[in-house]
């Protein structure tokens, strides 16, 4: 998979990431805190009520007005309403959320939101959210193919917040239920070729 401008990489299936704190496998080797979750050979299961993982703030994930991409392999096991956080970052009015709402997956940056993609319970899609300053869009990609693209990629995301997996700002009705295989965050907009390559290079684990 692409490593150019890789800001965070957490392969939740990795045997070296079996207990808290876990160390991310990107160049910054960030110490991430686990609350709950259960590890298996394909990732970590989140219970949808209290489990989450927190990756600490660093300057490389303070995206400001720049492009960025958020990518994950996930298997949703329960249909839950109220925008459940898969990969999120939130401080005040600046945030991004890769999230589901009753199986509808969206990517939200501040007030802008992509169109929903209907996910299927107990399947493993490769999901990607991209904020692209170059063409001022937000987009989502499923299994290497485009799912949605909307105007709104010029919003500022200046935040000192941690990146959280399985939660959205710790709100009581925003925990996500399912199994997460791996997460990558890039400080750039992934290209079509990079998204397709990342999907193809890692899908064997979740087939």
């Amino acid at each position: 998979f692409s490593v150019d401008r890789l800001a965070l990489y957490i392969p939740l299936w990795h045997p070296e990431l079996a207990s808290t704190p876990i160390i991310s496998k990107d160049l910054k080797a960030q110490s991430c805190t686990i609350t709950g979750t259960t590890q298996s050979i394909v990732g970590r299961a989140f219970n949808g009520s209290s489990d989450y993982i927190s990756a600490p703030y660093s300057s490389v994930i303070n995206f400001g007005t720049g492009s960025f991409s958020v990518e994950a392999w996930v298997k949703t096991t329960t249909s839950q309403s109220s925008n459940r956080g898969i990969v999120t970052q939130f401080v005040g009015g600046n945030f991004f959320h890769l999230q589901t709402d009753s199986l509808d997956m969206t990517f939200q940056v501040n007030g802008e939101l992509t169109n929903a993609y209907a996910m299927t319970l107990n399947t493993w899609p490769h999901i990607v959210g991209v904020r692209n300053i170059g063409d001022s869009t937000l987009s989502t990609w499923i299994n290497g193919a485009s799912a949605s693209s909307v105007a709104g990629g010029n919003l500022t995301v200046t935040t000192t917040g941690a990146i959280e997996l399985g939660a959205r700002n710790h709100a009581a009705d925003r925990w996500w239920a399912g199994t997460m295989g791996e997460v990558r965050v890039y400080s750039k907009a992934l290209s079509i070729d990079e998204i397709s390559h990342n999907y193809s290079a890692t899908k064997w684990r979740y087939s």
Side-chain angles (χ1 to χ4, degrees):
F1 57 86
S2 175
V3 297
D4 178 43
R5 298 180 67 179
L6 180 62
L8 180 67
Y9 173 44
I10 306 178
L12 295 167
W13 48 263
H14 201 291
E16 293 179 3
L17 277 62
S19 60
T20 192
I22 59 176
I23 306 302
S24 66
K25 294 296 183 178
D26 49 82
L27 290 177
K28 292 186 72 67
Q30 299 164 83
S31 180
C32 307
T33 303
I34 301 173
T35 300
T37 78
T38 303
Q39 190 183 46
S40 69
I41 61 172
V42 291
R44 282 190 173 271
F46 295 73
N47 64 10
S49 60
S50 59
D51 291 354
Y52 72 101
I53 295 173
S54 180
Y57 169 78
S58 67
S59 59
V60 74
I61 60 171
N62 190 343
F63 302 113
T65 58
S67 298
F68 65 94
S69 305
V70 184
E71 173 182 347
W73 278 98
V74 296
K75 181 175 73 172
T76 301
T77 55
T78 303
S79 178
Q80 301 167 292
S81 61
S82 301
N83 291 324
R84 305 295 174 137
I86 298 174
V87 184
T88 68
Q89 186 183 37
F90 185 96
V91 171
N94 290 287
F95 59 84
F96 75 76
H97 299 141
L98 190 61
Q99 61 194 0
T100 60
D101 183 354
S102 300
L103 296 181
D104 288 337
M105 189 276 289
T106 58
F107 183 49
Q108 183 176 10
V109 177
N110 294 351
E112 301 294 339
L113 184 72
T114 62
N115 296 321
Y117 172 84
M119 298 174 69
T120 303
L121 282 177
N122 299 308
T123 63
W124 278 100
H126 175 255
I127 62 175
V128 184
V130 179
R131 194 271 288 274
N132 191 334
I133 293 302
D135 60 7
S136 295
T137 60
L138 297 179
S139 61
T140 50
W141 302 73
I142 307 295
N143 296 336
S146 176
S148 173
S149 181
V150 299
N154 59 349
L155 296 170
T156 298
V157 186
T158 301
T159 175
T160 57
I163 288 180
E164 293 187 339
L165 315 184
R168 178 176 152 166
N169 200 33
H170 292 155
D173 59 348
R174 302 301 172 96
W175 309 94
W176 176 78
T179 301
M180 201 175 306
E182 53 196 273
V183 171
R184 284 182 286 273
V185 179
Y186 294 85
S187 58
K188 70 171 189 175
L190 289 172
S191 69
I192 296 172
D193 287 345
E194 287 173 319
I195 292 169
S196 178
H197 174 75
N198 286 3
Y199 165 65
S200 299
T202 54
K203 67 179 181 180
W204 64 271
R205 183 175 297 276
Y206 308 101
S207 299

